[in-house]
Amino acid sequence: MLSFGGPAGQIAVMHRILVEEKKWVGESRFLHALNYCMLLPGPEAQQLAIYIGWLLHRTLGGLMAGLLFVLPGFVSILVLSFVYVTYQDVPLVQGIFFGLKPAVVAIVVEAIFRIGKRALKNNTMRLIAALAFLALFLFQMPFPLLVLLAGCVGFIGGKLAPEEFVVIEGHATAQDCDQLDEGETDYRRPTALRSLKVALLWLTIWLVPVGVCYRALGPDHIFTNLALFFSKAAMITFGGAYTVLAYIAEQGVETYHWLEPEQMLDGLGMAETTPGPLIQVVQFVGFMGAYNQHPGSISPLWAGVMGAVITCWVTYAPCFLWIFLGAPYIEHFREKQALNAALSTITAAVVGVILNLSIWFALHVLFAEVTSHTWGYLHWQLPQWGTLDLKALAITIVAFVLVFGWRVGLFRTLGVCIVMGILLTWVS
């Protein structure tokens, strides 16, 4: 309930409470666990919560930590989704979301600089970021393929030229002299039998509901589409929530037509202003997809609730699988130089992905019409300049001044932009 502003803010809060206040784990143990989670697909903050819970109190601890970490965000997004579809025509609600969208653009651009400082430490990494941007912006390369290529390039580059590709080093691995080393540690030792049991159990928990939807409802049903798509997304979300948002936005808006570009921005604004992982925006996408394409036998609101539950299930269940299965092994893997190089290269590509995402958001915030153009293998989008929204432009400028000029915090920036959105909506 205290974690806002994406994974960086959530990890900072967890560090303050777990390491400094509660002293449940030491500094190096916390950083060690964090580095594990950065190697995995999915929301690293939630996985860090699962890992620390498992480290302290076995599987039950991991379950409680992981579920309770996302519960406040789930409830918040569900309530806001109800408000959004029920009172969308109310001027106050329109003004709130009108002000949120430009603030989101500034926040995403700020994420580019924050991640870029850590990832783009040499010209090789900068070139990879630029190529990743062009692959998405001009060639519309599928996001999973981009992640796979970046990881392969980094893995090979780490063997041939480690000085160019290993730019994100692992954290210290020294064991802390805390209560973790005093109790029983057998459950932290990897065995083949335990791994098989964990894999079978969590694959069943994750995939059986997907199979039930497919079998009972058919491959073209909205619930089946949500289950299959977000199961796939859960396996390729390397690099944090901002990375996969471009993929989800493209597929949800342009391929499946679950929601409009403006609604995608509204959902991201919700996720930025509610507790829990930023990836919680997928719940809004699932809600709107089922609401807009609901079966005739179910009311739109109940379909939206079921779509949100299905989406969250297949998004977060894999996180428990990755941690419970991989935690005992990942220490050994983390020390491999080639794997660190692959992570470094993926992180560099993430910068280009987020840049593409920020341009996509900005175009749909500032312009009423955006058209697609094709020339051979090249595909790009350009705005209709006559449809520029001057009010949205004014809020966007203020948001950038607050974020980059005055270094104002997330909530103050969002608050100012929301007030401006309400006032400008009423003026019109």
Side-chain angles (χ1 to χ4, degrees):
M1 292 173 65
L2 301 175
S3 300
F4 296 86
Q10 293 155 6
I11 290 169
V13 170
M14 293 170 68
H15 180 273
R16 175 171 56 82
I17 294 175
L18 297 175
V19 178
E20 299 176 8
E21 296 179 6
K22 300 289 187 180
K23 300 186 185 302
W24 286 346
V25 295
E27 177 78 19
S28 64
R29 204 64 172 266
F30 181 88
L31 295 176
H32 191 52
L34 175 59
N35 197 58
Y36 286 176
C37 299
M38 288 183 63
L39 294 172
L40 302 172
E44 61 264 34
Q46 194 231 4
Q47 290 171 342
L48 179 61
I50 298 171
Y51 186 85
I52 297 295
W54 171 80
L55 199 62
L56 293 168
H57 296 290
R58 303 192 179 194
T59 301
L60 181 60
L63 283 171
M64 292 184 67
L67 292 173
L68 292 174
F69 187 82
V70 300
L71 183 60
F74 175 83
V75 174
S76 302
I77 295 292
L78 190 61
V79 171
L80 288 174
S81 299
F82 268 99
V83 172
Y84 184 82
V85 298
T86 307
Y87 302 101
Q88 195 169 7
D89 295 330
V90 176
L92 178 62
V93 177
Q94 289 179 339
I96 290 173
F97 285 101
F98 183 72
L100 273 178
K101 294 171 189 175
V104 168
V105 174
I107 291 168
V108 173
V109 172
E110 193 270 337
I112 297 174
F113 286 91
R114 186 176 66 247
I115 298 175
K117 287 181 180 179
R118 184 167 65 93
L120 309 183
K121 294 184 177 180
N122 57 45
N123 289 332
T124 300
M125 295 295 108
R126 297 184 191 102
L127 176 62
I128 288 170
L131 291 175
F133 168 74
L134 293 175
L136 289 173
F137 187 77
L138 291 180
F139 295 94
Q140 296 185 346
M141 177 181 288
F143 174 72
L145 178 59
L146 177 62
V147 172
L148 178 62
L149 286 177
C152 291
V153 169
F155 187 84
I156 296 172
K159 295 180 176 293
L160 300 179
E163 68 282 357
E164 292 291 325
F165 285 87
V166 183
V167 299
I168 302 178
E169 297 288 353
H171 293 298
T173 60
Q175 297 295 313
D176 300 322
C177 296
D178 54 25
Q179 65 181 34
L180 293 175
D181 297 322
E182 297 174 1
E184 182 184 354
T185 60
D186 288 344
Y187 68 96
R188 291 187 232 139
R189 296 193 181 100
T191 65
L193 180 60
R194 174 196 171 276
S195 299
L196 180 61
K197 291 179 179 179
V198 169
L200 290 176
L201 173 63
W202 282 98
L203 284 172
T204 300
I205 292 173
W206 172 17
L207 296 178
V208 164
V210 179
V212 169
C213 287
Y214 190 93
R215 182 71 176 174
L217 303 175
D220 298 325
H221 196 280
I222 177 61
F223 294 153
T224 305
N225 286 334
L226 289 172
L228 290 173
F229 172 75
F230 284 104
S231 290
K232 179 173 64 174
M235 294 186 288
I236 49 89
T237 53
F238 292 93
Y242 284 117
T243 314
V244 79
L245 283 178
Y247 175 59
I248 292 174
E250 176 194 359
Q251 296 293 310
V253 172
E254 299 176 8
T255 302
Y256 293 99
H257 306 290
W258 289 331
L259 70 175
E260 299 296 324
E262 295 78 11
Q263 294 174 330
M264 183 69 196
L265 283 165
D266 291 337
L268 184 56
M270 290 183 193
E272 288 277 13
T273 54
T274 52
L278 184 60
I279 198 63
Q280 201 73 35
V281 68
V282 301
Q283 176 187 340
F284 178 75
V285 176
F287 182 96
M288 292 303 299
Y291 180 88
N292 291 328
Q293 300 180 12
H294 66 94
S297 58
I298 306 175
S299 71
L301 284 176
W302 276 113
V305 172
M306 294 175 68
V309 171
I310 291 170
T311 300
C312 288
W313 184 279
V314 298
T315 296
Y316 292 119
C319 296
F320 293 94
L321 170 63
W322 310 144
I323 295 299
F324 292 150
L325 179 63
Y329 294 97
I330 204 163
E331 169 65 14
H332 171 71
F333 295 149
R334 190 181 69 85
E335 294 303 314
K336 300 296 183 180
Q337 182 173 266
L339 193 58
N340 278 329
L343 174 63
S344 299
T345 308
I346 291 174
T347 308
V350 163
V351 179
V353 172
I354 301 176
L355 177 59
N356 179 70
L357 174 68
S358 66
I359 292 175
W360 188 90
F361 278 166
L363 289 176
H364 288 91
V365 167
L366 299 176
F367 297 92
E369 294 184 22
V370 179
T371 58
S372 298
H373 300 268
T374 300
W375 185 56
Y377 293 102
L378 302 180
H379 307 270
W380 67 93
Q381 291 185 330
L382 290 177
Q384 295 293 324
W385 295 99
T387 64
L388 175 65
D389 189 332
L390 295 178
K391 295 177 181 178
L393 178 62
I395 301 176
T396 303
I397 293 173
V398 171
F400 272 83
V401 171
L402 292 174
V403 171
F404 290 96
W406 295 351
R407 302 292 181 182
V408 175
L410 172 68
F411 283 104
R412 291 184 180 179
T413 300
L414 291 171
V416 170
C417 292
I418 288 173
V419 170
M420 289 184 66
I422 294 172
L423 294 176
L424 289 176
T425 300
W426 280 347
V427 168
S428 61

